[in-house]
Amino acid sequence: MNQRTSFLKTLGRHLQSGVSYIIPLVAGSGLTMAISTIVGGQDPSGIWGILNQIGQAGLDFIVPMIAAYISYSVADKPGLAPAFIAGLVANQMETGFLGGIAAGLITGYVVKFMVDKIKVPDTLRSLKSVTIIPLLSIIIVGLFFVYVIGPPITWLTELLTSFLENVSGTNEGLLAAILGGMMAIDMGGPINKVALAFGLGGFADGAFVGLTATHLAIGLPPFGMWLATKLKPSLYEEDEEENARASLVLGIVGISEGAIPFAVKDPIGVIPGITIGTALATGINGFFSVTISAPLATFLAIPLASNILIYIFSIAVGSLTIALTVNGIKILRLKRVNETQ
């Protein structure tokens, strides 16, 4: 086994650690929100509104938990608390789950380096793991995110907003495809946020193309990943099949976080697939100028579509494309691994 293969296996193990801890969080919190939406409606009140808030609070911890348990896998217990804080910083900066992965890996390796390299007298050994390493790692990683990660995110946000404004009004199918791909690529990150803000901004001005594309896109990644596990179950482990059952429900009610565990575990295989499939679905829908007149996600918006058959066709094509693309990438990578062994 060469060094590159060994490193990738180690990296995969660290990512798997993050996934194993967030699956119950995503399933429990997402399904709580799903129940509140199914029973209480799109704007639940009373106890259903409270349940919706509880579920959302759980989903808000996805990024910090990804960071914490990836770091824990890298650096053991000393990496846990600093990465949780780094994950909270990443979450506040709206970096999405990719920011959580970055926070976990950076914190983990920084802490591991400190554990190995910082030498203290025996009388201060207990302070090393309890105070010195957490203090230094929190400062280093926190400042890194604010001053190194932060400015590019701000620049990217401004660039994408300007780009969407230039594309708007030219070709509805192209605009819809771009917005759909942006919604799927980082699921809650800066690219997703720009697309969603653009869609909602257009809706406020009486334009429905952007709103339709962004909200059609919301449920496709989790639904597409559920379909992928059904078409080729041998490619997925038991925990992924369990998560897929929750993803089915989350996709139907429009909670895109259901796909995050799949994307964290295999970003190279999953992110391109969900991005391509979602962009295709929204592009087809936009090409035929199908719109919805209210901010409802994917399946919930079917009755509001100006052309229900085209809207459903777009969902079917997008979901199937996600499943086939993700599974195809996984099969090709497995074949390549077998050839090198």
Side-chain angles (χ1 to χ4, degrees):
M1 183 184 298
N2 57 43
Q3 287 185 339
R4 182 175 180 273
T5 303
S6 177
F7 172 76
L8 290 176
K9 281 201 167 186
T10 301
L11 189 63
R13 188 175 71 248
H14 297 326
L15 296 181
Q16 174 61 33
S17 175
V19 170
S20 64
Y21 286 99
I22 68 166
I23 283 179
L25 174 69
V26 172
S29 301
L31 291 175
T32 299
M33 289 187 68
I35 291 171
S36 72
T37 301
I38 293 170
V39 181
Q42 187 64 22
D43 297 308
S45 58
I47 189 171
W48 306 117
I50 293 172
L51 284 176
N52 189 274
Q53 293 174 17
I54 292 171
Q56 184 59 61
L59 294 182
D60 288 341
F61 272 93
I62 289 176
V63 173
M65 282 191 68
I66 288 173
Y69 286 104
I70 288 176
S71 178
Y72 175 74
S73 177
V74 175
D76 207 16
K77 190 175 179 180
L80 196 58
F84 204 99
I85 295 174
L88 285 171
V89 172
N91 200 40
Q92 290 171 355
M93 295 173 66
E94 297 185 340
T95 61
F97 76 94
L98 293 174
I101 293 175
L105 290 173
I106 293 169
T107 306
Y109 283 109
V110 166
V111 170
K112 185 175 175 59
F113 176 82
M114 290 180 178
V115 170
D116 294 338
K117 300 300 181 181
I118 294 179
K119 307 298 181 184
V120 298
D122 290 343
T123 54
L124 298 177
R125 186 168 296 173
S126 61
L127 287 177
K128 176 181 174 180
S129 60
V130 175
T131 304
I132 297 174
I133 290 178
L135 172 64
L136 292 177
S137 59
I138 287 169
I139 291 173
I140 292 171
V141 179
L143 292 177
F144 178 83
F145 262 80
V146 171
Y147 289 107
V148 178
I149 302 294
I153 289 177
T154 302
W155 172 81
L156 178 64
T157 299
E158 294 173 352
L159 179 68
L160 290 174
T161 301
S162 176
F163 171 72
L164 289 174
E165 289 172 351
N166 290 331
V167 174
S168 179
T170 56
N171 184 302
E172 290 186 354
L174 175 62
L175 176 63
I178 292 171
L179 288 170
M182 290 173 65
M183 288 292 293
I185 196 168
D186 62 355
M187 289 178 289
I191 299 175
N192 173 285
K193 289 290 193 299
V194 169
L196 189 59
F198 184 85
L200 290 172
F203 173 64
D205 295 332
F208 299 112
V209 176
L211 173 84
T212 303
T214 54
H215 283 68
L216 168 58
I218 291 174
L220 288 174
F223 186 80
M225 289 310 303
W226 166 78
L227 183 60
T229 64
K230 294 303 174 187
L231 292 180
K232 195 70 174 176
S234 61
L235 294 174
Y236 299 90
E237 298 178 3
E238 184 177 350
D239 61 334
E240 291 176 299
E241 292 180 3
E242 292 175 0
N243 185 61
R245 287 190 281 272
S247 293
L248 170 61
V249 180
L250 299 183
I252 291 173
V253 298
I255 300 174
S256 60
E257 284 85 351
I260 288 179
F262 294 102
V264 173
K265 185 172 183 178
D266 183 15
I268 295 175
V270 172
I271 293 176
I274 62 176
T275 302
I276 292 168
T278 304
L280 181 60
T282 55
I284 291 172
N285 198 71
F287 177 79
F288 288 100
S289 300
V290 179
T291 60
I292 58 174
S293 55
L296 296 178
T298 321
F299 294 91
L300 299 179
I302 289 175
L304 303 179
S306 58
N307 187 320
I308 293 177
L309 289 179
I310 294 294
Y311 189 85
I312 293 175
F313 175 73
S314 301
I315 292 175
V317 171
S319 301
L320 186 60
T321 301
I322 289 173
L324 294 178
T325 305
V326 171
N327 287 350
I329 292 173
K330 287 180 178 289
I331 290 170
L332 288 174
R333 290 166 65 198
L334 284 174
K335 182 179 179 181
R336 187 175 177 183
V337 169
N338 292 333
E339 289 174 349
T340 57
Q341 288 179 347

